[in-house]
Amino acid sequence: DGRIYAFEPLPPLHDSLRRNAALHGLGARLFDCALGATAHEETFTFYPHNTVNSTRTATAPEAHDLVRSFLRNKAKPADGARPDGTAEELIDEIVESRLESRSFTCRVRTFSEIIEQEALDRIDLLKIDVEGAEHEVLKGIRPQHWPLIRQLAIELHDVDGRLAEVQALLKGHGYDVVCEQDSSLLHDTVLYNVYARRADGHGTAPHPAAAPAQHCWSGRTALLDDVRGSLRDVLPHYMLPSAYTLLEALPLNQNGKLDRNALPDPGRPRTDPTPPRTRAEQDLCSLIADVLRVDQVETGDNFFDLGGDSLLASGLTGRIGRELGVRVLINEVYAAPDVAALARVVEKAPKARTPQLRRRGTGERG
């Protein structure tokens, strides 16, 4: 049986990791430290509203640029053109709202130190996703410990030729290396995925497993009903898929990964047309259509069914505050995703706070 060893130095995220591991009964070995080239303490930046960018390396401008590139790719029209001015304005608004940060001083240890402490004699997969510090993690592996590692999966930030450097390092330690970039979302970013497997064949043979139980459905409808019912048991309503498409097989790229660009468009279900009945509904229909870049929104439409997500919800709340003058929280959008329900939230929401400009006195310098 395998065992998971997980590392998270930031206290808020380590607490979430601990809770999730306990919730799912993983029996994982958790460490409240980071991995690096040497043992020391270091200041980490934590983004509460965009935790995946929390890091010890990126400056605020770098983090802003990375998130902005990701959102720009997500908002890019089908013809590949750059997003228009309205979309760029929304992107800027989302970036600013999600990259409020806090700092923590955290312990850093080397991976070799962990290997020796835990008496590890085999590592089937080392997954590294450390927001720009991946080369530091690799430097913390001493030569005698590399043969213990059979496979690696690394999210790598290609800064100052780091991609070529890491590829050369892995090949020098006897790995076959494959590098790829998600062209749909990571284009114009420095993010790459690097996969390495020992060239001697170690790590290629999976552990024997029992054959999965077979289940047959009478038809497509029965299968989809079963899937919907299973998802309703484990997901909140706002996370349920709005459409389902059956495929004979998932499209894969040349590296055996899911080819998202080859997936068919499942389409978006629409409700019966219901014109807005109140000023709040009218305003929201207009704002949501603008944020989601759709032609028309009805009062019965669901923000998430139309393509909304957490980032776009953040942009929507910002637009509501700026244009409607009231403060609506993201969790309120999740709780009331239908236009009519969200309109009732807007009608009862407190006024948005606007920054007050202090007038300079005659004795103050500009």
Side-chain angles (χ1 to χ4, degrees), residues 45-185:
T45 303
F46 172 57
Y47 297 100
H49 305 302
N50 201 53
T51 57
V52 295
N53 284 106
S54 300
T55 180
R56 58 180 152 173
T57 58
T59 63
E62 290 172 344
H64 283 217
D65 289 344
L66 182 60
V67 174
R68 187 173 282 108
S69 294
F70 176 84
L71 293 174
R72 190 174 287 125
N73 286 330
K74 191 170 185 178
K76 188 176 294 183
D79 60 6
R82 286 179 64 86
D84 60 23
T86 301
E88 287 287 349
E89 180 182 343
L90 176 60
I91 287 170
D92 289 339
E93 187 172 298
I94 293 174
V95 168
E96 293 301 326
S97 67
R98 294 186 72 86
L99 289 181
E100 171 192 347
S101 65
R102 296 164 56 191
S103 295
F104 291 89
T105 299
C106 303
R107 183 184 181 189
V108 180
R109 302 174 68 184
T110 69
F111 192 47
S112 279
E113 179 185 348
I114 301 297
I115 290 174
E116 293 178 347
Q117 172 187 302
E118 300 294 313
L120 301 178
D121 59 3
R122 166 176 159 176
I123 300 163
D124 290 310
L125 174 65
L126 175 59
K127 183 177 185 296
I128 303 174
D129 185 356
V130 289
E131 298 304 318
E134 49 278 345
H135 63 301
E136 294 293 319
V137 176
L138 296 174
K139 288 178 181 178
I141 303 173
R142 293 198 289 272
Q144 66 268 32
H145 293 141
W146 277 101
L148 304 180
I149 305 171
R150 299 190 171 195
Q151 299 177 93
L152 298 95
I154 307 170
E155 182 191 77
L156 188 137
H157 292 59
D158 185 21
V159 179
D160 298 329
R162 198 165 295 157
L163 177 60
E165 176 187 334
V166 168
Q167 286 179 303
L169 172 69
L170 295 173
K171 290 178 181 178
H173 282 291
Y175 294 90
D176 291 327
V177 181
V178 173
C179 173
E180 66 178 22
Q181 184 181 59
D182 186 334
S183 59
S184 62
L185 292 178

Side-chain angles (χ1 to χ4, degrees), residues 81-353:
R82 286 179 64 86
D84 60 23
T86 301
E88 287 287 349
E89 180 182 343
L90 176 60
I91 287 170
D92 289 339
E93 187 172 298
I94 293 174
V95 168
E96 293 301 326
S97 67
R98 294 186 72 86
L99 289 181
E100 171 192 347
S101 65
R102 296 164 56 191
S103 295
F104 291 89
T105 299
C106 303
R107 183 184 181 189
V108 180
R109 302 174 68 184
T110 69
F111 192 47
S112 279
E113 179 185 348
I114 301 297
I115 290 174
E116 293 178 347
Q117 172 187 302
E118 300 294 313
L120 301 178
D121 59 3
R122 166 176 159 176
I123 300 163
D124 290 310
L125 174 65
L126 175 59
K127 183 177 185 296
I128 303 174
D129 185 356
V130 289
E131 298 304 318
E134 49 278 345
H135 63 301
E136 294 293 319
V137 176
L138 296 174
K139 288 178 181 178
I141 303 173
R142 293 198 289 272
Q144 66 268 32
H145 293 141
W146 277 101
L148 304 180
I149 305 171
R150 299 190 171 195
Q151 299 177 93
L152 298 95
I154 307 170
E155 182 191 77
L156 188 137
H157 292 59
D158 185 21
V159 179
D160 298 329
R162 198 165 295 157
L163 177 60
E165 176 187 334
V166 168
Q167 286 179 303
L169 172 69
L170 295 173
K171 290 178 181 178
H173 282 291
Y175 294 90
D176 291 327
V177 181
V178 173
C179 173
E180 66 178 22
Q181 184 181 59
D182 186 334
S183 59
S184 62
L185 292 178
L186 300 181
H187 179 65
D188 286 337
T189 75
V190 296
L191 292 180
Y192 290 83
N193 292 320
V194 177
Y195 305 97
R197 185 175 63 189
R198 296 208 67 83
D200 56 14
H202 288 303
T204 60
H207 293 292
Q214 298 296 316
H215 185 83
C216 296
W217 291 269
S218 59
R220 295 167 59 92
T221 301
L223 170 58
L224 291 177
D225 286 345
D226 197 358
V227 171
R228 288 190 184 96
S230 297
L231 292 179
R232 289 193 194 100
D233 291 339
V234 296
L235 295 177
H237 70 89
Y238 58 81
M239 293 184 67
L240 291 172
S242 59
Y244 297 80
T245 300
L246 293 181
L247 302 176
E248 292 295 330
L250 292 175
L252 304 178
N253 60 25
Q254 61 181 359
N255 295 320
K257 305 286 287 184
L258 177 65
D259 186 351
R260 292 182 174 84
N261 293 328
L263 290 171
D265 184 358
R268 292 174 178 170
R270 296 304 305 265
T271 59
D272 293 332
T274 305
R277 295 159 294 188
T278 66
R279 177 61 183 271
E281 289 181 355
Q282 181 179 350
D283 290 338
L284 278 177
C285 284
S286 176
L287 282 178
I288 291 174
D290 198 25
V291 168
L292 298 183
R293 302 169 66 84
V294 296
D295 294 333
Q296 187 176 3
V297 174
E298 307 288 348
T299 58
D301 284 335
N302 181 296
F303 176 78
F304 298 102
D305 287 352
L306 294 179
D309 55 26
S310 61
L311 291 173
L312 293 172
S314 177
L316 176 63
T317 58
R319 293 284 295 275
I320 290 173
R322 188 174 71 242
E323 300 185 27
L324 304 186
V326 296
R327 183 165 63 92
V328 173
L329 304 178
I330 291 181
N331 63 338
E332 292 177 306
V333 178
Y334 277 103
D338 295 339
V339 173
L342 188 57
R344 292 191 289 271
V345 173
V346 168
E347 290 169 343
K348 299 177 182 178
K351 291 187 178 298
R353 290 181 296 178

